[in-house]
Amino acid sequence: MKKFIDLLKKYKHATLLLYVFIYFPWFLLLEEHVTHYTPIKIWLDDYIPFCEYFIVPYLLWFAYIAVVVLYFLFTSKRDYYYLCANLFIGMTIFLIISTVWPNGQNLRPAFFPRDNIFTDLVRTLYAGDTCTNVFPSLHVYNSVVIHIGVAKSEKLRKYRWIQISSFVLMVSICLATVFLKQHSCMDVFGALALNYLIYGLVYKLDHSYLISTFNKEEY
């Protein structure tokens, strides 16, 4: 029992992940009730062809987020706090934008040019994910946030292959959002702009006193 209590004390910062109980109900409510929306499209979207093979990095996004968050949870409180702040502030702003400005896109193809396992996966994605609440793209925003966390980690910085792999995956995920016709290029640009703003808020200001308030010990 004592070991269990000590474990809870050591990883009490994991309580930040309870944010999912705010995010998911709010997001699912929007997914269910947003039926009339402002379609988002810019001229650049017409020049980007549909490519089903990008479903691979698109789906890897889920593992990318989970693996890095859990890695920092167990290895570096400082990196974990900064990463969570960067993620959750941006995700909350996304929810607010989607609430006050219902948005969506009508870019998905009426039919697929090819029939293979990748298009089958895209069909499944389309069936389970509405074309609403797309601005800014969370796939893009969170991917960039995760790579920033990896790039800034003192422990991971010395592994060049991890840095390169993270960057390649991040770029691939961002490209996947438009090649799968899940997002307009405007959603991508909006996510990058939001990244720029929140990065300055999270990383450029001195928050060391807040971190020390949560946990004075570091590992």
Side-chain angles (χ1 to χ4, degrees), residues 134-137 140 174 177-178 183-193:
V134 296
F135 182 89
S137 168
V140 172
C174 293
T177 63
V178 292
H183 287 278
S184 163
C185 291
M186 181 176 173
D187 303 329
V188 175
F189 297 148
L192 295 177

Side-chain angles (χ1 to χ4, degrees), residues 125-143:
L125 173 65
Y126 284 1
D129 187 18
T130 72
C131 58
T132 59
N133 311 308
V134 296
F135 182 89
S137 168
L138 269 193
H139 253 67
V140 172
Y141 179 84
N142 285 353
S143 297

Side-chain angles (χ1 to χ4, degrees), residues 11 18 26 30 36 64 108 122 124 144 160-161 169:
Y11 296 110
L18 293 176
W26 191 346
L30 290 171
H36 300 284
Y64 187 39
R108 292 177 176 179
V122 176
T124 302
V144 175
R160 184 169 175 78
W161 69 271
L169 182 56

Side-chain angles (χ1 to χ4, degrees), residues 8 11-20 73 80 88 214:
L8 289 179
Y11 296 110
K12 62 184 178 181
H13 51 290
T15 55
L16 286 179
L17 299 181
L18 293 176
Y19 172 79
V20 298
L73 169 65
Y80 171 79
F88 299 161
F214 285 114

Side-chain angles (χ1 to χ4, degrees), residues 126-177:
Y126 284 1
D129 187 18
T130 72
C131 58
T132 59
N133 311 308
V134 296
F135 182 89
S137 168
L138 269 193
H139 253 67
V140 172
Y141 179 84
N142 285 353
S143 297
V144 175
V145 167
I146 291 296
H147 179 66
I148 289 173
V150 170
K152 284 189 165 292
S153 168
E154 292 185 4
K155 294 183 178 181
L156 296 180
R157 198 177 296 164
K158 57 186 177 181
Y159 298 105
R160 184 169 175 78
W161 69 271
I162 291 180
Q163 299 294 321
I164 294 175
S165 299
S166 176
F167 178 78
V168 170
L169 182 56
M170 175 198 69
V171 172
S172 299
I173 292 170
C174 293
L175 291 175
T177 63

